[in-house]
Every structure is written in structure tokens, then in C-alpha cells.
Amino acid sequence: MNLLPYDWCAIGYLAITGVLILIFHKNVTRWYLYLLVRACVIAAILSLTLVKGTLPHPWQFIRDWYPLSTIALFYFEMGKLTRLVFHRFFDDAIIQWEKRVFRGMPCIELSHKFPSLLLSEVLHLCYFSYYVIAVFLAAWLYFQGKVVPFQETVFAETLTFNLSLLCYPFIPATGPRYHFDKIEGKLASGFFFRLTHAILSTGSSKGTAFPSSHVSLSVIVLLCALRYDTTAFLILLPLCTGLTLGTVFGRFHYAIDALAGAVLAVLIFVIMLVI
């Protein structure tokens, strides 16, 4: 077998969550289906690693890109697992952390202090760009033939994202979007404001606020771009900065969620540099 680090990342995540589901199976409807699907996915991943060297196209493309597809798949499933361990959300505790660290509630205060429609639209656009950020650097490196940087970037992304997901069953929190009123007034009339909230209303997994996987993923991508490609870094810098601010301004996350996500990404990047 020719297992790469991001293969182990996917298999490890499936195995760890499988063990959690087995332990806390009373809290999961049809828990055995989750275990069956995990066994099938692990078998599929292993089947892609049986051949050493380059696979025939399009199998090689699937081999290279399947890890990034797990970001969406694992995230949507997590909505069913956030109360796997606990039967409540921990927003009250996180709000107290927020107040102690920031001496206030930035997730509520920012839109009041800066009620600019233009600023709101830019930040919501940046938040929406998350879907582009997740694949941009990987595609940039891949289609330039930079195989090792591509593989290391994909590994960094999936490891960071999966570690974020593993926090949610133990610290489930809904975030300010569920806990407080949504922004109203002129800011709510913006196109990107309405687009972002429309997408989140259908595709959001409740209980996945702390740490912010949006911020952790965008920060690790930005750091990898800084390491591997200056041009990509300069393109991503305003988007990732705006996304981090937008998570708080738009009341999608508490500021402490964003901070925790950024710290997680930095720690993983430093560890990858050392090992």
C-alpha cells in the first residue's frame, strides 16, 4: 500500500469518530449505519492506495483530490454528532470566555460600531469565499505540477479541519447566529448578506461553533501559501483576513471561536515545520 499522510488523516478521523459512536451509540439513531459507512469509506481509501506510482486517469485525480471532498462530507455529518457525548450546548460558558478575553461581545458589538453596508458586504463576501479558499491553493499548486507542496497543503487542510470537527462532540456550541438575533436594518439588505445567510440556513451544522473551522481552515491555507507560493499568498491574504473578521461581524461565530481556530491552525503549521 502507498498510504500518504492525508490518507492516514481521513482513516484516523473515521476510526476515532467510529469508536466514539460505538461508545455513545445510545445517542445516535441507527448508529450501526454510521459504522458501516465508515468501514466502506476506509476500504475505498485503501483500494486507492494498492497501486504504487501513478494511477490511470481519472483514478489518479480522484486519488489526489478525494481528501478535500471529505471536508464537506465530514462537516455535514457532524450536525448529527454534536450531541454525541453531551445533551446540551455550551454557549453560556463560551460567552463567559468571550467576555473575559475581549472584555465584551465583539460578535454583537462590531456590526453596531461599524454599521457600513459596504463593509458588511465585503466581509460577507469574504466569508462566502471560504468555499473558494478551501480549494484555491491546492488547485494552484496541483496544476503547476508542484506535487509535494500540493500533498502537504492537502494534509495540513484536512488535519486542521478534522481536529476542529473532533472538538465539537466535546464542546458543542451553536454560536451567536442561533443564540442571538440576526443583524437587521440596512446591513441585512445586502446581496452577499442575504446569499450567505440563505446558504447557511440550508447547509449549516448546528453545534459546530468552537473552534471556528472556517477560520482554522483559512488560516492554515494562508500559512501554506506563505510557505509555498508568494503570489497565492497575496491573493489569499485579503480573503482570509476578511473571512476571519466576517465570522465575528456577521454573528456566525463568537470572537473566541475565531481565536481558537486561528491558534489551532498556527500550532499545526508549526508542528509541520518541525517534523
Side-chain angles (χ1 to χ4, degrees):
M1 290 186 181
N2 185 29
L3 287 164
L4 295 170
Y6 54 62
D7 298 319
W8 286 111
C9 186
I11 292 171
Y13 174 83
L14 291 167
I16 292 171
T17 51
V19 170
L20 289 175
I21 290 169
L22 190 60
I23 294 173
F24 300 100
H25 64 273
K26 292 182 180 180
N27 298 331
V28 183
T29 305
R30 296 180 181 177
W31 59 272
Y32 48 87
L33 293 179
Y34 287 85
L35 298 184
L36 177 61
V37 169
R38 274 161 170 72
C40 292
V41 173
I42 290 174
I45 293 172
L46 293 177
S47 69
L48 289 172
T49 69
L50 291 175
V51 178
K52 292 186 178 181
T54 304
L55 293 169
H57 191 79
W59 294 109
Q60 185 61 45
F61 187 83
I62 295 173
R63 172 81 174 89
D64 294 333
W65 283 92
Y66 89 83
L68 288 185
S69 70
T70 64
I71 288 176
L73 296 174
F74 292 170
Y75 174 77
F76 289 127
E77 179 201 49
M78 184 51 64
K80 304 291 185 182
L81 304 179
T82 52
R83 284 188 280 184
L84 179 66
V85 179
F86 298 101
H87 292 285
R88 69 183 186 89
F89 296 114
F90 288 83
D91 287 75
D92 290 341
I94 292 174
I95 288 171
Q96 292 305 312
W97 301 345
E98 174 111 337
K99 290 178 178 179
R100 289 175 184 173
V101 172
F102 296 99
R103 299 185 181 277
M105 292 289 295
C107 63
I108 302 299
E109 296 163 1
L110 282 180
S111 58
H112 291 306
K113 289 182 178 179
F114 305 99
S116 166
L117 178 59
L118 177 61
L119 176 63
S120 175
E121 284 292 276
V122 169
L123 293 181
H124 279 85
L125 172 60
C126 290
Y127 186 85
F128 183 75
S129 72
Y130 170 79
Y131 306 102
V132 175
I133 291 171
V135 300
F136 175 82
L137 179 61
W140 184 279
L141 298 170
Y142 186 81
F143 291 108
Q144 291 185 68
K146 298 179 179 179
V147 177
V148 173
F150 165 79
Q151 291 176 344
E152 291 183 354
T153 295
V154 172
F155 172 63
E157 285 192 54
T158 52
L159 177 62
T160 303
F161 192 83
N162 290 353
L163 288 177
S164 297
L165 294 184
L166 289 174
C167 294
Y168 300 145
F170 299 98
I171 317 177
T174 64
R177 194 168 71 88
Y178 292 96
H179 208 70
F180 298 103
D181 292 334
K182 189 171 70 172
I183 295 172
E184 297 180 345
K186 68 176 182 179
L187 300 187
S189 66
F191 172 79
F192 288 108
F193 179 98
R194 290 183 283 111
L195 177 62
T196 303
H197 282 272
I199 292 174
L200 289 177
S201 65
T202 59
S204 174
S205 292
K206 189 176 182 180
T208 57
F210 183 88
S212 169
S213 58
H214 278 70
V215 172
S216 64
L217 185 69
S218 66
V219 170
I220 197 67
V221 169
L222 187 63
L223 292 172
C224 287
L226 178 63
R227 182 181 185 186
Y228 296 122
D229 196 291
T230 303
T231 303
F233 171 77
L234 293 175
I235 294 172
L236 288 167
L237 180 59
L239 293 177
C240 293
T241 303
L243 182 147
T244 301
L245 294 174
T247 60
V248 182
F249 183 94
R251 302 185 188 179
F252 305 117
H253 285 279
Y254 304 109
I256 199 74
D257 301 338
L259 177 61
V263 169
L264 174 63
V266 170
L267 287 175
I268 291 173
F269 185 72
V270 171
I271 291 171
M272 288 183 63
L273 290 178
V274 172
I275 60 175

